[in-house]
Each structure stands twice: as C-alpha cells, then as structure tokens.
Amino acid sequence: MEHKALPLHSHLATLPVYQPGRPLEEVARGLGIPFDRVTKLASNENPLGPSPKAVMAMKKAAESAHLYPDGNGYYLKEKLAALHQLQRSQIILSNGSNELIEWIGHVLLDNRSNIVVSQYCFAIYPIVAAMFGAQSKIVPATDFGHDLEGMLQAVDASTKAVFVANPNNPTGTLVNAEALRTFVSQIPSHVLVVLDEAYVEYLEDAADFVEVVRSGAMPNLLLMRTFSKIYGLAGCRLGYGMASTSLVAAMEKVRQPFNANSMAQSGALAALDDQEHLERSRQVNREGLTQLQEGVLAMGLSFVPSSANFVLVRVGQGKEVFQAMQRQGIIVRPMDGYQLPSWVRVSVGTQAQNQRFLKKLSDVLE
Ligand SMILES: *Cc1c(COP(=O)(O)O)cnc(C)c1O
C-alpha cells in the first residue's frame, strides 16, 4: 500500500514548544549526583513545600484513590466561594491554571481571531492561540511591563481575548492598579479580559478584581488563580477560574469530567485552611526577594524589580550562564525563548538556597 503521512494540522509545524524548568531528577542524573544535591530555582515553586496540613490531607485521600474524584469539586468550590464571596457557579476548577488558558481557545478562538498580549508575556498564551489557529498581537513592553494603552489600541474587531498577568511572569512587573482598572473597564464587551493572578497572593496590597466578578458588571472578565505557586502544590496540577456564570458554564462544557484529581482537591482544601503556612511563605519570599536583588546588585548586575517570587537578572550570556550554573547543581531558567538572551530568571528559594545561588553565580561570572 502507498505510504501516506497522517494529515496533521498544518499549523503544528510551526507551533512553538513550551520549555519548562528542568526537573531536579533529570539534572541530577545528568551530573551523576544525588538529586538532593541539586537546587532548583527554575519554576517559581514554593521553597517551603506544601502546607504540612495539605500533605496530611493528601495522604488520607490516597486511601480512596480507587474512586473517581468529585468531578464537580463540591467542597473545594464551596470553600473558594466562601473565601471570595462568590456563587459556586462563578468558579471552575482546572488542571493547573494552564488548562483554563486552553479552554479559552475552545470557547473563543479560531483561525479568524486574534488575542492581544504584551511582549514578555507568559509563553502559554501565544502557544494556545496558535493551537487554535489564532494570531497573537504582541504589544511592545514598556520597562519590561505591560503598555496597557498600547494593548487597548491593539484590540480590533477580530480580537477575542486580551491577557494581563499581574504580577507578570517572567518579568515580575506589576501594573498600576488604577491603570489596570481603567484598562479593564475600557475593553469592549465582545473581548474576554483575562487577568492571570498566579502570583497575586504574594502581594501585600493587591488590586481586588474579584469584586468586579462578584458584582456581575463584567461578563467578559476571567480571573485565573493557581495552587502551584504560593500554596506549593505545583505537582498536583490545580488552578481555578472566577468569572460570570455564563462564561463558567461555557467552559464547563469543554472541561474533561475528572480534570481536578481527588488528592489535589483534598490538598487544596487543607492548604486554604493553613493561614500560617501562607503567611510564612509570603514572608520567606519577601526576605528572599530582597536577598536576591541586593545580592545581584552588589555584583553589579541589573535586574527587573520584582513583585513576584522570582527575579529576572541580566547576566550577559543567559544560556551559557544557565548551563554553567547547572553544572554547579543550580537550575535557573534561561530566557532566550522569551527573546531575552542576556537574562536568566531565578526563583526565590530558602535563604540558604538564595545564598548558594549568589555564590555560584559570582563564581560562574568570574
Ligand atoms: C505559573 C503560572 C501559571 C500557573 O500554572 P499552573 O498551570 O497553575 O501550574 C499561570 N500563569 C502564569 C503567569 C504563571 O507564571
């Protein structure tokens, strides 16, 4: 029989591939050392780990792992609804907040549409747009952050969604709360406004957009949250969206029935109850940010002042520094994929990890 290749979607040929932080075990294997000798500061994970209460709850949940999860996440939605003073129907659970981004594609995007994003935006937004054949209109950054006016002007009749991560990853920049409020209110009602709040819990005084969802004033607003960052549950893959009942209902239709697994749901429920762990994580991060920023400054390096749990540092040859650091057992994130080849992104670790990073960076740069 004649051999014919599968008729794969043609846009896959040029679809960019997301480059995650390198896993500890993989790097340790490559270096031939035990994995506890490697320090990973590459994926903005909580260096304190999950709340011990969450770990206990997940161990307990493991005993029921033969049962399918509650696909509706009754208890977790109930708890989140109480926390944010929303209706349960305004909340949707996702397999990491990345899954929410994919649903935006399913409910809105096709090859006649575009999304508006900022230069140095989270890499998944343009990848998902491309998956659905949609264009990404990339608005040049100002001081590494969002040019909200430029983004507003880029919105056209084919625009289906605009994305603002606040704080932004990988730059750590924060937009002014008032400017963001104005921006959100000016976006036309046919365009979905996505506020990615993956790092919002690190802020002392965050602008409150939940209030806008609660009021019902903007059926085209989606807030994205995650348990991967300050809650230290990245391995569980759990995020959630907050939006109008109508948008949540649309996304519920494209959601796989058991996307949020039972251990993740149990862990998240317990994590939400551990205010002490949350506060300690915030404090360790605050101190670690200062330590890292003062440390690189003392080495004469420039950095982008960060509002999140990582810092973008200008090291010269980013990829080479990344590789040299890796040989020293420290994983950071090279930024060439973000068109920032002279930078690396380092996540805030424990005080000892930050110290180790600064020492090795100084060695490597000599
Ligand atoms: C880490 C991160 C997420 C969260 O990803 P998960 O899928 O929830 O692990 C979302 N948006 C941004 C900007 C991030 O940095």
Side-chain angles (χ1 to χ4, degrees):
M1 232 168 65
E2 189 194 352
H3 178 82
K4 270 193 178 161
L6 285 173
L8 300 176
H9 287 311
S10 57
H11 64 262
L12 290 177
T14 52
L15 190 68
V17 177
Y18 182 72
Q19 305 289 351
R22 292 212 45 211
L24 274 177
E25 286 82 356
E26 187 182 295
V27 170
R29 231 176 9 251
L31 294 171
I33 60 175
F35 83 85
D36 55 8
R37 296 255 320 273
V38 180
T39 302
K40 184 183 178 203
L41 299 173
S43 300
N44 307 339
E45 294 145 338
N46 185 335
L48 301 180
S51 149
K53 291 181 178 155
V55 175
M56 236 158 37
M58 291 188 284
K59 282 184 177 163
K60 183 94 187 73
E63 291 167 15
S64 305
H66 59 299
L67 301 174
Y68 278 100
D70 173 3
N72 254 322
Y74 181 86
Y75 293 105
L76 183 53
K77 278 193 194 171
E78 193 72 7
K79 189 162 208 95
L80 290 169
L83 177 68
H84 296 296
Q85 296 166 270
L86 293 172
Q87 308 294 316
R88 285 221 326 277
S89 59
Q90 293 171 304
I91 296 171
I92 187 163
L93 305 181
S94 58
N95 193 268
S97 51
N98 274 310
E99 193 183 30
L100 284 163
I101 305 170
E102 187 173 338
W103 293 336
I104 295 167
H106 282 298
V107 304
L108 280 168
L109 302 180
D110 59 30
N111 60 9
R112 295 178 305 280
S113 45
N114 70 60
I115 65 167
V116 171
V117 295
S118 178
Q119 185 184 17
Y120 315 131
C121 70
F122 187 43
I124 304 291
Y125 314 148
I127 290 178
V128 166
M131 265 167 62
F132 290 88
Q135 298 296 315
S136 291
K137 294 182 84 174
I138 301 170
V139 177
T142 45
D143 293 332
F144 295 93
H146 296 77
D147 169 9
L148 293 178
E149 277 179 26
M151 291 180 74
L152 183 63
Q153 273 162 25
V155 170
D156 62 29
S158 306
T159 302
K160 296 293 170 65
V162 299
F163 289 79
V164 177
N166 201 44
N168 186 52
N169 175 16
T171 57
T173 50
L174 188 72
V175 296
N176 171 279
E178 269 325 297
L180 185 58
R181 232 178 271 288
T182 307
F183 170 80
V184 165
S185 71
Q186 286 175 335
I187 298 292
S189 58
H190 74 274
V191 176
L192 176 66
V193 183
V194 183
L195 297 187
D196 186 339
E197 301 188 318
Y199 302 96
V200 75
E201 297 91 352
Y202 287 104
L203 302 174
E204 309 292 330
D205 184 22
D208 181 12
F209 285 92
V210 180
E211 190 181 74
V212 183
V213 174
R214 199 180 299 131
S215 74
M218 272 191 69
N220 58 325
L221 176 66
L222 170 64
L223 305 182
M224 303 200 306
R225 299 282 181 102
T226 182
F227 285 94
S228 297
K229 304 291 158 57
I230 206 165
Y231 289 106
L233 292 169
C236 287
R237 312 305 304 128
L238 188 66
Y240 62 101
M242 296 182 276
S244 61
T245 301
S246 57
L247 177 58
V248 166
M251 291 194 297
E252 286 285 0
K253 290 185 178 175
V254 299
R255 178 179 71 79
Q256 293 291 322
F258 304 110
N259 65 324
N261 72 71
S262 44
M263 267 185 270
Q265 290 188 38
S266 299
L269 270 168
L272 288 169
D273 275 336
D274 196 343
Q275 209 50 41
E276 197 185 315
H277 186 74
L278 190 71
E279 193 40 61
R280 205 157 70 85
S281 302
R282 208 176 273 134
Q283 187 188 335
V284 164
N285 188 63
R286 196 163 46 229
E287 292 166 2
L289 262 187
T290 305
Q291 184 186 3
L292 285 176
Q293 295 184 153
E294 285 180 355
V296 297
L297 194 64
M299 277 181 239
L301 302 174
S302 45
F303 63 92
V304 180
S306 174
S307 298
N309 67 341
F310 53 84
V311 190
L312 197 59
V313 185
R314 182 171 208 151
V315 293
Q317 305 282 337
K319 201 161 187 177
E320 270 128 63
V321 169
F322 155 73
Q323 278 159 352
M325 292 294 282
Q326 191 168 272
R327 287 193 293 273
Q328 301 288 319
I330 298 191
I331 318 173
V332 295
R333 197 71 157 266
M335 287 284 118
D336 36 320
Y338 282 90
Q339 269 72 56
L340 291 164
S342 45
W343 301 74
V344 295
R345 193 194 66 194
V346 57
S347 306
V348 175
T350 60
Q351 190 188 27
Q353 289 175 324
N354 300 333
Q355 191 59 46
R356 186 154 178 254
F357 162 80
L358 290 168
K359 170 79 177 68
K360 298 284 185 191
L361 180 63
S362 149
D363 293 351
V364 158
L365 289 178
E366 289 222 333

